[in-house]
Amino acid sequence: MRAFWLAGALALLSACSSAPPKPEAPVSAAAAAPKPVDESRRFPLADQTSMRLVDDHVLGKTFLPGGNVAEYRRKGKTYRQVLVHAKSAEAAALLMFDYKGHLREAKYLPHMGGYFGMDAATPVYLFQKGAFLAGFAGLPEKEADPLARQFAARLN
């Protein structure tokens, strides 16, 4: 008789279970990656040929979020200056280390706390200041260094 009551109680409990949980709505890619902040005011205007806000993958790098890219023409050379405003100084430092891992012959720049190296055939100068990752693509180190120092002063 006990087995009968036990079986009945189990049947009753299983019939009273709640409905299965509804699947969560997927998070859209747009919600996951916020729009970059327009920081064009921080870029020098001299020799600038264009300025654009890139929604994602600055310099075409899948590991980089969106940011600002300015193109310059100076003394017959064309180069790009980039600025990514990360969520924090730590996030900016991690982005710089990710990029450093993709540079060939990466050289540490102790005076800037950044790196210089080759990205395929393009020289790249990177540095981090606060929540910013900044850099130059297309200039040799000796030409990028004074520009980087001036740009760092604009990031206060």
Side-chain angles (χ1 to χ4, degrees), residues 129-154:
K129 184 164 183 187
F132 293 107
L133 171 64
F136 295 84
L139 287 177
E141 179 184 356
K142 290 188 187 285
E143 292 179 38
D145 189 66
L147 297 175
R149 290 171 190 254
Q150 292 169 8
F151 195 39
R154 294 172 173 262

Side-chain angles (χ1 to χ4, degrees), residues 2 28 33 62 71 74 102 115 138 148:
R2 272 189 170 174
S28 68
T62 57
E71 292 191 25
R74 182 178 186 202
H102 288 83
Y115 294 90

Side-chain angles (χ1 to χ4, degrees), residues 4-152:
F4 176 74
W5 285 105
L6 185 59
L10 286 175
L12 184 62
L13 286 174
S14 65
C16 295
S17 67
S18 63
K22 294 180 181 177
E24 293 183 24
V27 177
S28 68
K35 289 263 188 201
V37 177
D38 182 0
E39 298 283 357
S40 58
R41 71 185 186 286
R42 299 182 184 275
F43 288 76
L45 296 175
D47 303 320
Q48 189 180 102
T49 60
S50 71
M51 166 62 75
R52 68 183 191 280
L53 191 61
V54 178
D55 287 337
D56 205 6
H57 308 307
V58 166
L59 296 177
K61 303 299 178 190
T62 57
F63 55 88
L64 290 179
N68 296 260
V69 179
E71 292 191 25
Y72 292 86
R73 185 160 186 80
R74 182 178 186 202
K75 298 180 182 177
K77 291 184 180 178
T78 302
Y79 64 93
R80 291 175 285 169
Q81 186 171 339
V82 298
L83 184 64
V84 174
H85 194 161
K87 293 178 184 178
S88 65
E90 292 81 14
L94 290 173
L95 290 173
M96 182 177 64
F97 284 116
D98 283 346
Y99 204 143
K100 176 211 170 232
H102 288 83
L103 293 177
R104 192 175 73 250
E105 301 170 11
K107 172 185 166 185
Y108 180 64
L109 306 170
H111 64 285
M112 290 297 288
Y115 294 90
F116 178 81
M118 297 299 290
D119 185 358
T122 304
V124 174
Y125 188 112
L126 297 172
F127 67 95
Q128 178 248 336
K129 184 164 183 187
F132 293 107
L133 171 64
F136 295 84
L139 287 177
E141 179 184 356
K142 290 188 187 285
E143 292 179 38
D145 189 66
L147 297 175
R149 290 171 190 254
Q150 292 169 8
F151 195 39

